[in-house]
Amino acid sequence: MKLQTVGQKGGLYCYLITPFDPAGDVDHATLERYTDAIVNSGADGLTCVASTTEGVYLTEAERFAVVQTVCQTNAGRVPVNVAIGDISTRQVMHWADHAQKAGASTLMLEMQTYLPDIHFSDVLHHYQTVSDGVDVPIRLYNIPRTTRYDMSPKMIAELAAVDGIDSVKDATGDPHRVRDIKALTGDRYAFYTGLHFVARESYRYGAIGWEAAFHPLFADDMVSLHQLLLSNDPRGATLYKKMEPLFVFFRHFGVPQCIRAMSMWSDLSLGHARAPLPKLNSQQFTQLKSLMADLEYS
């Protein structure tokens, strides 16, 4: 392994939604408060500038500033996972270099594609090149809905040859992927689930971590749910059932949009998503508010 094996420890990582002010600029004061609140809630780690955190909608200067704010505010209290995915290996290394200098504990890398003729040998070379060029572990991230490239269990098993990858985050929506990859690779990787609505099943098949966006409004229950599911405590099923309507709502209407909407009736408002990402319409907003009231989160 590389200098650290942070990802092998598992844990609950919060995807920090990037806050925007009324003018649409990154709100660093709110980001500092958000970071502090999540760390103080008992989360095991933080993730920034990734898919759900809308990193792709940031300029380079904004992206770098967000990473620096999160790392500086965190001040080494928990690991910070910084997303570095991009179309080219060269650009990935550019993001990785800054993330390491800012204090990232681990780097999350999905296989972004633009042209369709990327072969697995190219993928393997991509990950090996990045691994050879960084000094912190890589979390392999499979999110085919956005990348249009699906890492099959067999592919991920072959990527075990890249020493720098210490963990895998699965966001396919199929919890059986954890089971299948684990069957092929044993204890080679630590597994993280990436979607709220399959978390319970993912833990059952061997996940030891969860990387998900949440707001301080329901952070306490997220921390408890992770701990209960990890220990196979029967109370985890009860708490999951309670929260499941919220997770299903996220699935259908978008996690960033929902987190932003619910934040607006809290003292930590995250602002609106950048166009062309839509906001919840009035009916959806009302439905979410009612759901949060039922869960006693507002």
Side-chain angles (χ1 to χ4, degrees):
M1 285 296 163
K2 291 285 184 180
L3 296 180
Q4 305 176 55
T5 55
V6 177
Q8 298 253 342
K9 298 177 181 179
L12 175 68
Y13 281 64
C14 179
Y15 262 68
L16 296 171
I17 303 296
T18 305
F20 295 125
D21 65 20
D25 297 319
V26 176
D27 184 344
H28 287 275
T30 297
L31 182 57
E32 291 174 0
R33 291 173 55 220
Y34 187 17
T35 300
D36 268 333
I38 293 300
V39 173
N40 291 336
S41 75
D44 299 298
L46 305 168
T47 300
C48 59
V49 297
S51 54
T52 304
T53 70
E54 302 164 74
V56 70
Y57 293 93
L58 303 177
T59 66
E60 177 174 296
E62 288 174 330
R63 181 180 180 130
F64 285 172
V66 166
V67 173
Q68 290 170 330
T69 294
V70 171
C71 289
Q72 289 170 4
T73 305
N74 174 58
R77 289 175 289 173
V78 298
V80 177
N81 184 28
V82 178
I84 59 169
D86 213 304
I87 297 296
S88 73
T89 307
R90 182 184 180 91
Q91 186 62 43
V92 167
M93 292 305 304
H94 182 56
W95 300 137
D97 180 62
H98 177 270
Q100 289 185 111
K101 290 176 180 176
S105 306
T106 186
L107 305 170
M108 187 159 66
L109 179 56
E110 71 274 24
M111 190 61 217
Q112 293 190 17
T113 60
Y114 180 72
L115 298 174
D117 52 351
I118 299 291
H119 301 288
F120 182 69
S121 59
D122 303 310
V123 174
L124 184 59
H125 184 261
H126 178 67
Y127 276 85
Q128 187 66 64
T129 300
V130 176
S131 175
D132 290 343
V134 301
D135 294 317
V136 297
I138 295 170
R139 182 165 303 160
L140 189 157
Y141 184 19
N142 191 27
I143 180 168
R145 180 184 175 191
T146 59
T147 62
R148 300 298 186 265
Y149 192 94
D150 188 6
M151 300 268 202
S152 70
K154 182 179 178 182
M155 289 176 180
I156 292 175
E158 292 188 47
L159 281 162
V162 180
D163 288 342
I165 303 173
D166 72 350
S167 52
V168 172
K169 177 183 176 182
D170 182 82
T172 62
D174 179 5
H176 297 96
R177 291 291 187 99
V178 176
R179 177 200 64 191
D180 293 352
I181 298 165
K182 197 168 180 64
L184 293 173
T185 63
D187 294 328
R188 169 63 180 82
Y189 299 117
F191 292 96
Y192 290 74
T193 183
L195 298 170
H196 299 78
F197 65 91
V198 295
R200 179 175 53 182
E201 292 81 1
S202 296
Y203 278 92
R204 186 181 303 155
Y205 288 126
I208 63 169
W210 187 0
E211 206 155 12
F214 52 95
H215 188 276
L217 285 168
F218 64 104
D220 288 346
D221 271 355
M222 288 292 290
V223 171
S224 295
L225 183 57
H226 157 67
Q227 294 169 346
L228 292 169
L229 292 175
L230 183 63
S231 62
N232 200 29
D233 189 313
R235 291 174 295 174
T238 301
L239 181 54
Y240 190 89
K241 185 175 181 180
K242 168 192 168 184
M243 301 180 73
E244 192 168 30
L246 181 63
F247 298 160
V248 171
F249 194 89
F250 287 170
R251 179 184 185 183
H252 288 285
F253 299 110
V255 175
Q257 294 94 323
C258 291
I259 301 293
R260 289 184 183 282
M262 68 175 63
S263 78
M264 295 191 181
W265 60 82
S266 77
D267 63 355
L268 192 70
S269 178
L270 303 175
H272 297 296
R274 282 185 171 169
L277 282 180
K279 297 183 290 186
L280 297 188
N281 63 36
S282 59
Q283 181 180 357
Q284 293 161 354
F285 187 87
T286 299
Q287 185 179 350
L288 177 60
K289 191 168 186 179
S290 175
L291 183 57
M292 293 291 285
D294 290 343
L295 291 168
E296 300 181 343
Y297 292 155
S298 60

